[in-house]
Amino acid sequence: MSINVHRCRPKVVLAALLCGQVPLACASGPAQQAVSMPAEVEFDSNPELRPGSASSAVRYRLRPQYSYTYHIDDTTEWSAILGANLERSSNTQVSANRQDPSVELKWKQESPTSSWGLNAKYFKASTRTPEFDQTGIVTADRTQTNRSMGANWGKYLTERWMANGGINQQWVDYDTDSLVSYRNSMAIGGVSYDLAATEKLSVFFAASHYSPSANNFILTRSSSGMGIVFGYAGTLSNKIDLNIQAGKLKITGLDAGYYLQGKIQVNYKGDYTSAGVSFDRSAVAGGQTGGLTVSNSLRLQARIEVAERTAIDFFYSLTKNAGYNGSKTNSMGANYVFQITPLWRLNFNVQRKTADQRTGYAGANVMGVGLNYTHPDF
């Protein structure tokens, strides 16, 4: 299990996007289809994470997803992922009913010496999840509409030197005036050097520009970020991987200044256990950040396979906003997974969430039970 959690957030450090290995491992057939249908019932003691008295809610959730991948040849691949989050709440005053679609399209071409990629994504989601995870800020349960387009490339200049680059344009809109819609443009470029088959040094330059769609907030303005990051990625043993990035970042706007940025990530995979820890400090944007701001995040994750078809997952996350908000959120919990058949899975989960905001400290307990049908290739 890897702790490398993709959270779809705008950030100046985008080196993870460019760390893919070539060539592409082509599947046995030209086309692959997969479908999943997770269903879940979840109790949340305080969906609003409100200090003091709180109202609870029970959510009934269905998240169907269909993916299609087509291999044109050994080097070129097209893929599409269609999904939805259908949710009904017992208390719509604190947790809204939802019908959130998602679409993702990808193209990539990889050879032993180069890689090229295009991607486009559209999805809707509750504002609670991305703002909580990315910026450490708690918001009301409204809808975020996220659209993005990007491209990335990599090419070996010599046997060991590789040049990489990427661009991404993101449009984020909210259905409430209490959050500021924005546009975020990002670009990155750099080189890496292969020390060995499993070791790599890298240096990347990155730039990002945040533009609010309306200036209806006093504490909202255009913001830019520029930075440099040096990195090392390697395998310490056949069970442990290490990734270290460190550099400097300059931000203009509300949280103007020079900041340290970087990432430390360690993954372990054994025969029956796996674990990972990651600390990330980077520039992010959100509906209440007022521009680019620096966010610190810590992620811990572990899995123990207690039997042939049974596993227990543990996780902990902490996000602290280093900007003017100065907010902090964390969550911890466990998930029990039982594989009923190769296609059906049952899970029970518990979670504790807390938020330390300007409005005060609040906490919530979340418990859920789910049934998931997954067909990986039909």
Side-chain angles (χ1 to χ4, degrees):
M1 172 180 292
S2 173
I3 195 66
N4 187 13
V5 179
H6 175 62
R7 296 180 289 176
C8 296
R9 73 186 194 177
K11 56 194 294 185
V12 172
V13 180
L14 296 178
L17 177 69
L18 306 172
C19 290
Q21 299 295 318
V22 293
L24 169 69
C26 184
S28 57
Q32 289 178 294
Q33 299 180 79
V35 64
S36 63
M37 190 74 69
E40 185 178 28
V41 179
E42 183 179 80
F43 169 79
D44 193 332
S45 66
N46 187 4
E48 296 180 300
L49 280 175
R50 176 176 298 187
S53 60
S55 298
S56 62
V58 177
R59 292 185 285 257
Y60 305 88
R61 185 181 297 122
L62 184 65
R63 292 181 295 168
Q65 181 175 285
Y66 168 79
S67 65
Y68 179 85
T69 302
Y70 185 78
H71 299 271
I72 298 176
D73 51 36
D74 289 346
T75 63
T76 307
E77 175 185 295
W78 288 91
S79 63
I81 301 176
L82 308 177
N85 178 40
L86 309 176
E87 191 173 296
R88 292 296 177 266
S89 171
S90 65
N91 186 350
T92 57
Q93 298 298 316
V94 296
S95 184
N97 294 330
R98 311 205 62 82
Q99 303 88 32
D100 298 329
S102 64
V103 180
E104 185 174 3
L105 303 174
K106 289 183 179 181
W107 170 86
K108 62 180 177 181
Q109 186 178 73
E110 296 183 348
S111 72
T113 59
S114 65
S115 64
W116 308 86
L118 299 172
N119 63 83
K121 181 181 292 188
Y122 169 87
F123 67 89
K124 289 186 176 183
S126 168
T127 53
R128 277 204 192 116
T129 302
E131 299 292 330
F132 184 94
D133 291 341
Q134 300 165 16
T135 65
I137 299 175
V138 177
T139 70
D141 190 12
R142 302 306 296 261
T143 298
Q144 177 197 85
T145 301
N146 195 312
R147 293 164 290 170
S148 64
M149 298 180 65
N152 61 82
W153 61 272
K155 184 173 179 60
Y156 273 103
L157 306 176
T158 67
E159 185 178 352
R160 293 179 179 269
W161 285 98
M162 187 177 192
N164 296 276
I167 57 174
N168 190 75
Q169 178 67 43
Q170 184 182 37
W171 300 265
V172 178
D173 296 294
Y174 301 96
D175 66 346
T176 173
D177 290 337
S178 64
L179 298 171
V180 181
S181 301
Y182 63 90
R183 311 291 178 262
N184 201 41
S185 305
M186 294 163 281
I188 186 170
V191 294
S192 61
Y193 179 78
D194 294 341
L195 295 173
T198 59
E199 287 187 294
K200 178 182 293 187
L201 295 175
S202 62
V203 56
F204 288 96
F205 298 90
S208 181
H209 182 73
Y210 165 99
S211 301
S213 60
N215 293 315
N216 56 336
F217 283 73
I218 297 176
L219 297 177
T220 301
R221 64 190 69 173
S222 295
S223 179
S224 297
M226 295 187 66
I228 182 173
V229 61
F230 300 88
Y232 167 84
T235 301
L236 302 183
S237 69
N238 60 347
K239 295 184 177 181
I240 301 176
D241 296 329
L242 174 66
N243 187 350
I244 300 177
Q245 300 171 8
K248 197 76 171 179
L249 170 68
K250 178 184 178 181
I251 292 179
T252 65
L254 186 63
D255 290 329
Y258 288 88
Y259 300 88
L260 294 175
Q261 65 173 337
K263 179 178 183 179
I264 301 176
Q265 179 177 317
V266 181
N267 296 321
Y268 166 83
K269 184 170 179 57
D271 295 332
Y272 301 101
T273 60
S274 58
V277 57
S278 174
F279 174 78
D280 188 10
R281 179 179 172 90
S282 58
V284 301
Q288 286 188 336
T289 60
L292 292 176
T293 188
V294 172
S295 177
N296 303 302
S297 64
L298 175 67
R299 302 286 185 267
L300 305 173
Q301 190 169 333
R303 162 166 283 206
I304 302 175
E305 297 181 9
V306 296
E308 182 179 357
R309 296 187 295 172
T310 305
I312 302 177
D313 299 321
F314 302 93
F315 67 89
Y316 173 81
S317 67
L318 169 67
T319 303
K320 189 177 189 307
N321 192 308
Y324 84 96
N325 284 290
S327 54
K328 180 173 68 175
T329 59
N330 68 59
S331 64
M332 65 183 71
N335 185 34
Y336 172 88
V337 181
F338 177 70
Q339 196 75 37
I340 304 172
T341 71
L343 302 181
W344 290 91
R345 185 175 71 245
L346 181 68
N347 67 279
F348 302 90
N349 63 81
V350 294
Q351 183 182 9
R352 172 67 178 174
K353 299 189 297 183
T354 62
D356 189 359
Q357 311 282 306
R358 289 184 173 183
T359 56
Y361 178 87
N365 299 313
V366 181
M367 296 175 288
V369 56
L371 182 65
N372 186 11
Y373 171 82
T374 302
H375 200 305
D377 189 11
F378 69 95

